[in-house]
Amino acid sequence: MGKRIVCACEDVSEQDLAEAVRHGFRDVESAKRYTGFGTGFCQGKSCLAGIAHWLEREGGQPREGLAPFTPRPPVAPTAFASFAALDPEALGPPGPGVPPREELPAAPVRPDGPFPERCRVAIVGGGIMGLALAYELAKRGQRDVVVLEAGYLCAGASGRNGGGVRMQWGTPTNIRLARRSLEICRGFAAELGINVWLRQGGYLFLAASPEVARRLERSAELQRRHDVPTRLLTPDGAREIVPELDAAPFLLAAFNPKDAVVFPWPFLWGYAKGAAERGVRVETFTRAVGIEVERGRVRAVVTDRGRLACDVLVNAAGAWSPKVASLAGVRLPNEPHRHEILVSEPLKPFLGPLVSVLDDGLYFSQSMRGEIVGGMGDPKDPAGLESGATLRFLARFSRAFLRTLPGLGALQVIRQWAGCYDVTPDNSPILGETPGVAGFLQMSGFVGHGFMMAPAVAELMASWMAGGERDEIFDRFTLSRFAEGRLEREDFIIG
Ligand SMILES: Cc1cc2nc3c(=O)[nH]c(=O)nc-3n(C[C@H](O)[C@H](O)[C@H](O)COP(=O)(O)OP(=O)(O)OC[C@H]3O[C@@H](n4cnc5c(N)ncnc54)[C@H](O)[C@@H]3O)c2cc1C
């Protein structure tokens, strides 16, 4: 049969859609991510209606109540130079931006079979943390596990991030975890049978101020003591790695050639499939709405599809973790903060490393498809579960980006989006037991680096939960540390 194109921008065919459905991606958002339809120049304007029709006909998501994709700015591809000409401060403080539409369909397609009534371990959140933990538990023979995910896989920060994986960190613990995660990333395709597009082009950190330069020096020394081959470079030395760089604004650079970038989505699909093949149930479009606690112990999690009794409940709901914890009367100190990101049209491969300017939180890399993918935090953005896309971000990012690579003014931005960082008071996660609620485990607070920490942390957590060794991270990153006034500060944070 000939190839029948359904999305001309991204060259997606009916055969690709059929493949998505065969792998269980039967709702529009999942099929979009699996095939790439709707992620190109027209952002789904020409193909969504036809594809929704096709999916319904083939037993996928009904079209009833289906809204068009969020019209994410820019409406048409627009040059970085145009956005850089705008004064971000004149645009005012960060507002809600273009709000994402309600991403949950009116008639969701859920996994086949009845909703389970009990399990040993229930995990709230089907992001990288929850899915990696479920897989690692199943690998250790703990198969009576159910993952509850309110949306589709990739709905949270794990489906919206920049895919950076680095060993350049400011504490021995984070260096150790990142090193192990990178090892797992390297073996992921072989173990789970899916390509994660790992590219070890390094991370090039740039410092524009003496204070940040000192931070680079301190952490590079620590990293070298822990066998990370980080080199400090003069600005001219940095230009040898990125010849397009304008070195003038910078004082110092740090480069580790082993750091990497991955494509995040296949990680979630790989972990979910690996877990499901070992007996775990991954219940998408299923929201936890209550937690039953009896005599100081978790008994069940209540969902919008029914009650699930469990011995252990893990809160892996990322930026929503405080909300989930509050269902059990537990207060977490995490705060959600919007983090915006964008993608450009593709260029021939020219950029080896992920480049980050620590002073203002700018970072960007070139994907395997040639696009520039980059983001930047906004210190003026207030806390909140906000994920609208703003013009202010486009202006701020474009200015900072062109200060670094001035030759790319004509390159066009295709799309922007946002997710939430899950921020704790000391930029370190919250892991392990919850004081006063036995059987309720926390696995959240990974700020802007949870993707790269998840493989290693999930492995350690599963091993401990399955009766193995208790790693020091479960004593270091406790929830109780905040009440004890014992913070575990990490200041090597981007954004
Ligand atoms: C724009 C951006 C760029 C980033 N870049 C990087 C990077 O380069 N490298 C890196 O390592 N990290 C990066 N991060 C951070 C990283 O994405 C997160 O730390 C990580 O994905 C967190 O994973 P998680 O599983 O804890 O949370 P999530 O992926 O957010 O998953 C939580 C899930 O819980 C679900 N949920 C919420 N409430 C409920 C409920 N009541 N019932 C059931 N399910 C519920 C949500 O739908 C969601 O899918 C970035 C983040 C953003 C936003």
Side-chain angles (χ1 to χ4, degrees):
M1 194 170 81
K3 183 168 158 179
R4 292 177 53 164
I5 298 293
V6 288
C7 163
C9 302
E10 293 297 307
D11 192 33
V12 177
S13 66
E14 273 192 7
Q15 289 86 342
D16 297 325
L17 280 181
E19 192 63 10
V21 168
R22 201 172 66 74
H23 281 88
F25 300 109
R26 293 180 293 158
D27 66 283
V28 164
E29 294 289 351
S30 299
K32 170 182 174 179
R33 282 157 183 80
Y34 193 77
T35 63
F37 91 78
T39 62
F41 285 89
C42 94
Q43 301 195 29
K45 287 188 214 64
S46 16
C47 60
L48 176 61
I51 288 176
H53 202 277
W54 188 96
L55 277 173
E56 183 178 61
R57 205 184 61 217
E58 298 300 316
Q61 181 182 334
R63 278 178 301 155
E64 181 203 335
L66 192 67
F69 290 137
T70 307
R72 298 199 195 274
V75 175
T78 306
F80 278 111
S82 305
F83 292 123
L86 299 170
D87 175 1
E89 295 315 318
L91 296 170
V98 179
R101 68 167 179 157
E102 182 49 69
E103 287 187 349
L104 299 188
V109 266
R110 294 184 166 122
D112 297 330
F115 186 67
E117 288 178 6
R118 75 155 290 117
C119 65
R120 213 185 89 62
V121 180
I123 300 172
V124 180
I128 184 86
M129 291 293 161
L131 293 171
L133 177 64
Y135 171 71
E136 294 291 348
L137 281 169
K139 233 173 100 175
R140 288 162 177 77
Q142 307 269 311
R143 289 152 196 256
D144 191 8
V145 176
V146 177
V147 179
L148 304 167
E149 168 50 52
Y152 53 91
L153 300 184
C154 300
S158 303
R160 295 162 185 269
N161 67 77
V165 185
R166 61 175 158 115
M167 288 187 282
Q168 293 187 67
W169 278 101
T171 65
T173 301
N174 279 342
I175 294 172
R176 171 173 65 97
L177 293 173
R179 181 201 306 285
R180 178 61 191 143
S181 275
L182 199 48
E183 262 170 38
I184 296 172
C185 290
R186 286 164 59 100
F188 199 89
E191 181 166 345
L192 284 149
I194 192 160
N195 189 353
V196 293
W197 304 101
L198 173 81
R199 189 169 65 80
Q200 282 185 284
Y203 257 57
L204 180 71
F205 279 109
L206 297 165
S209 65
E211 190 272 323
V212 174
R214 277 194 295 278
R215 214 182 325 154
L216 285 190
E217 282 167 350
R218 271 198 312 273
S219 47
E221 198 205 312
L222 175 78
Q223 289 152 22
R224 281 196 300 268
R225 271 193 272 126
H226 290 268
D227 296 327
V228 178
T230 304
R231 281 186 281 143
L232 288 174
L233 303 168
T234 61
D236 281 342
R239 287 201 64 197
E240 283 175 24
I241 293 165
V242 180
E244 297 76 9
L245 184 74
D246 178 2
F250 304 110
L251 302 175
L252 192 70
F255 179 63
N256 170 25
K258 304 273 182 184
D259 290 340
V261 177
V262 297
F263 184 40
W265 300 342
F267 272 90
L268 303 187
W269 301 328
Y271 275 133
K273 182 160 171 282
E277 281 169 359
R278 288 164 177 79
V280 170
R281 297 202 48 160
V282 180
E283 299 289 333
T284 44
F285 299 107
T286 305
R287 180 180 296 279
V289 293
I291 296 174
E292 289 178 15
V293 179
E294 220 179 81
R295 288 192 290 277
R297 164 161 279 286
V298 161
R299 295 289 171 207
V301 51
V302 182
T303 78
D304 54 3
R305 292 173 62 204
R307 178 181 184 274
L308 174 64
C310 57
D311 300 327
V312 177
L313 178 65
V314 181
N315 180 3
W320 295 266
S321 291
K323 273 188 155 182
V324 170
S326 73
L327 300 174
V330 172
R331 197 191 155 273
L332 298 186
N334 320 25
E335 274 189 344
H337 277 269
R338 171 171 53 189
H339 188 85
E340 297 191 63
I341 184 164
L342 56 71
V343 64
S344 77
E345 62 187 329
L347 288 178
K348 269 192 187 169
F350 75 97
L351 182 63
L354 182 147
V355 177
S356 176
V357 180
L358 270 189
D359 304 72
D360 56 13
L362 170 79
Y363 65 92
F364 56 85
S365 66
Q366 189 171 25
S367 75
M368 295 283 261
R369 292 175 11 147
E371 307 136 328
I372 296 294
V373 178
M376 188 173 170
D378 187 340
K380 293 196 177 160
D381 219 340
L385 277 165
E386 193 72 75
S387 58
T390 68
L391 184 58
R392 181 182 155 91
F393 162 67
L394 290 174
R396 289 184 75 245
F397 180 92
S398 301
R399 285 188 166 203
F401 177 62
L402 293 183
R403 265 197 304 275
T404 315
L405 297 187
L408 291 192
L411 183 66
Q412 304 198 92
V413 182
I414 292 189
R415 210 155 41 91
Q416 68 175 127
W417 66 94
C420 279
Y421 275 16
D422 173 17
V423 182
T424 57
D426 55 3
N427 290 329
S428 290
I430 299 178
L431 291 173
E433 296 102 337
T434 307
V437 189
F440 190 26
L441 301 182
Q442 306 298 329
M443 193 185 194
S444 73
F446 284 89
V447 194
H449 51 280
F451 202 86
M452 69 181 89
M453 293 295 171
V457 169
E459 197 178 56
L460 294 171
M461 184 132 163
S463 169
W464 168 49
M465 286 171 72
E469 193 188 327
R470 180 186 168 99
D471 190 85
E472 59 104 15
I473 58 172
F474 302 106
D475 299 314
R476 181 182 292 279
F477 298 132
T478 56
L479 172 56
S480 59
R481 76 179 183 274
F482 299 103
E484 295 158 6
R486 177 179 58 78
L487 298 188
E488 293 288 339
R489 282 201 192 284
E490 170 59 80
D491 65 358
F492 215 81
I493 296 287
I494 304 177

